[in-house]
Amino acid sequence: MEIQLTINDEPTSAEVGPDDDLATVLRRNGYTGVKCGCDGGVCGASKVFVNDEVRMACGVDARDADDAEIETIESLGSQDDLHPIQEAFVDHFAVQCGFCIPGMIIEAKSLLADNPDPSEAEVREAIDDNLCRCTGYQKPVEAILDAADRLRDDRSVAADGGPEAGPTNGADDGDTDD
């Protein structure tokens, strides 16, 4: 069966078998940021946006995604131009082994779109279905809280620890009220 998808704003068609889940189809089409940690839609590693809702792609029958709009981690940023959430994860050393991080970042993006100023408890609740087998959740929680600040302040810090970009770096921001 052929299905139609819009993946990261690119219309595409994909051949799917009766047992294919959405994560398998996305990975087969080059979106390897989608990880498969459980093959059952429970660990959070395969989270993507499906029609603007966060879903665990390995728990979605690919045929049910026909005509869906999909957003994967690849849409957020690139190595040379990270999204503020990705920058915060790097700056807080929250990447760890990296396997669960795409799902956490997708969930963080959803959380921060709905709640730009979450509490630590709200962040922990948002990622409580993302399983991390490395060192735990403290650094990702700190990264998400920092990303919230960055997005609210529209500032970013270079992932390599370089100077802040934007008006909070002490440079003239053009505001005459200073």
Side-chain angles (χ1 to χ4, degrees), residues 25-168:
V25 172
L26 291 169
R27 289 184 59 79
R28 191 183 305 144
N29 284 279
Y31 299 95
T32 56
V34 178
K35 306 299 184 198
C36 298
C38 64
D39 288 332
V42 295
C43 79
S46 68
K47 286 184 177 177
V48 297
F49 287 97
V50 177
N51 295 329
D52 296 324
E53 287 187 31
V54 174
R55 303 280 307 271
M56 295 187 202
C58 71
V60 175
D61 185 319
R63 295 170 297 176
D64 293 341
D66 191 22
D67 292 325
E69 292 190 23
I70 311 295
E71 182 179 352
T72 70
I73 188 76
E74 286 89 350
S75 73
L76 269 67
S78 66
Q79 284 291 88
D80 298 327
D81 185 24
L82 296 174
H83 184 279
I85 298 171
Q86 294 169 312
E87 286 180 339
F89 269 73
V90 171
D91 291 345
H92 286 269
F93 303 102
V95 176
Q96 305 169 108
C97 84
F99 198 83
C100 66
I101 298 306
M104 282 197 193
I105 289 175
I106 291 291
E107 190 64 57
K109 184 178 181 203
S110 176
L111 169 68
L112 298 178
D114 293 340
N115 179 1
D117 190 18
S119 68
E120 181 176 333
E122 289 167 327
V123 170
R124 289 183 181 280
E125 182 179 338
I127 61 171
D128 73 349
D129 60 352
N130 288 81
L131 299 181
C132 173
R133 294 181 173 93
C134 292
T135 61
Y137 299 89
Q138 186 60 36
K139 290 181 184 295
V141 168
E142 291 170 0
I144 294 168
L145 290 169
D146 184 43
D149 288 343
R150 293 175 191 217
L151 290 167
R152 280 194 319 271
D153 295 345
D154 192 37
R155 68 177 173 94
S156 64
V157 176
D160 67 356
E164 294 180 17
T168 59

